[in-house]
Amino acid sequence: MKYVLVPGAGGVAWYWNRVVPLLKSAGHKAIAVDLPGDDESAGPREYADIVASAAAGADDVVLVAQSMGGFTAPLICERITVRELVLVNAMIPLPGESAGQWWGHVDSATAQREAADIGGYGEFDTATYFLHDLPDDVAAEGEPHQRAEADIGFTQTCDFTAWPSIPIRVLAGADDRFFPVDFQRRVARERLSIEPDVLPGGHLLALANPAGVATYLLA
């Protein structure tokens, strides 16, 4: 099996660094693909070309996409043969939708606000919404790897025909504050008719719970 792991906004492959060794130790090939998230000339279509090139020659690909990587995933599936698709705390687009449009179409702001009111963790900031459940050393290690997503990542439309007729799993973090779990359940049901699986951990699930994510991927 070859696991091809796609990061979210910013395109930083480092996000998967705690999961890749676990997949390899189980006897599988695994590659996290670094994407030019801060390049204004590259959006989901170009990301899909890069990932397809990285996966070239394999016919047993399990494609795993985190967060904004959900906008690249269906495009990749039209370029290469994918055995299974796993979406992790992912944005789930409709054909022709852009990531910038997605927020309003699924009303993510309301879901975030309502979850914050219930959880009592207040207004948005990076530490509160992304780093709250990470070990301190992991959060510190990740700082130099971060980069912003260029505008094209949000404006370029995701021009795919339909979600592929292959096994698709959706994995949600029970403690995700950016995409609250009930919100993810609704979007997955509405757009894929899939009930998400849930693991302990927040939005950066592969950093917060790498063993859980690896075990889930290997199941």
Side-chain angles (χ1 to χ4, degrees):
M1 201 84 71
K2 183 171 185 177
Y3 289 88
V4 179
L5 307 166
V6 181
V12 179
W14 177 88
Y15 167 77
W16 293 107
N17 84 98
R18 304 187 79 196
V19 171
V20 167
L22 300 176
L23 299 177
K24 288 182 175 179
S25 68
H28 298 281
K29 297 177 181 178
I31 178 174
V33 184
D34 205 60
L35 300 173
D38 55 354
D39 184 347
E40 277 294 358
S41 67
R45 297 171 210 158
E46 289 74 27
Y47 301 165
D49 290 338
I50 293 169
V51 177
S53 178
D59 59 4
D60 57 349
V61 170
V62 176
L63 182 65
V64 187
Q66 152 76 9
S67 193
M68 193 174 174
F71 265 79
T72 303
L75 301 174
I76 299 166
C77 291
E78 293 187 338
R79 287 161 168 75
I80 61 171
T81 299
V82 174
R83 175 173 177 167
E84 181 183 28
L85 173 61
V86 183
L87 300 170
V88 181
N89 286 335
M91 301 169 77
I92 301 174
L94 297 175
E97 191 174 45
S98 72
Q101 294 169 329
W102 182 88
W103 308 98
H105 290 173
V106 298
D107 196 11
S108 66
T110 297
Q112 280 185 8
R113 184 173 63 252
E114 291 177 348
D117 288 343
I118 294 170
Y121 47 82
E123 297 296 323
F124 177 86
D125 64 67
T126 299
T128 299
Y129 277 72
F130 293 107
L131 308 179
H132 61 97
D133 64 336
L134 298 190
D136 290 343
D137 60 331
V138 173
E141 183 183 347
E143 285 185 17
H145 294 277
Q146 301 312 306
R147 55 177 175 252
E149 180 70 28
D151 288 344
I152 188 174
F154 299 99
T155 59
Q156 188 184 86
T157 54
C158 188
D159 294 326
F160 66 106
T161 303
W163 285 95
S165 55
I166 59 173
I168 300 176
R169 289 188 284 164
V170 176
L171 178 60
D175 311 303
D176 193 339
R177 294 177 175 179
F178 193 57
F179 296 158
V181 65
D182 287 342
F183 164 75
Q184 291 197 54
R185 288 190 176 107
R186 172 174 63 80
V187 174
R189 290 167 184 158
E190 291 175 352
R191 296 194 162 199
L192 291 175
S193 299
I194 289 175
E195 184 66 30
D197 298 305
V198 180
L199 285 178
H203 191 68
L204 303 181
L205 189 58
L207 293 172
N209 187 2
V213 171
T215 299
Y216 178 82
L217 295 178
L218 292 166

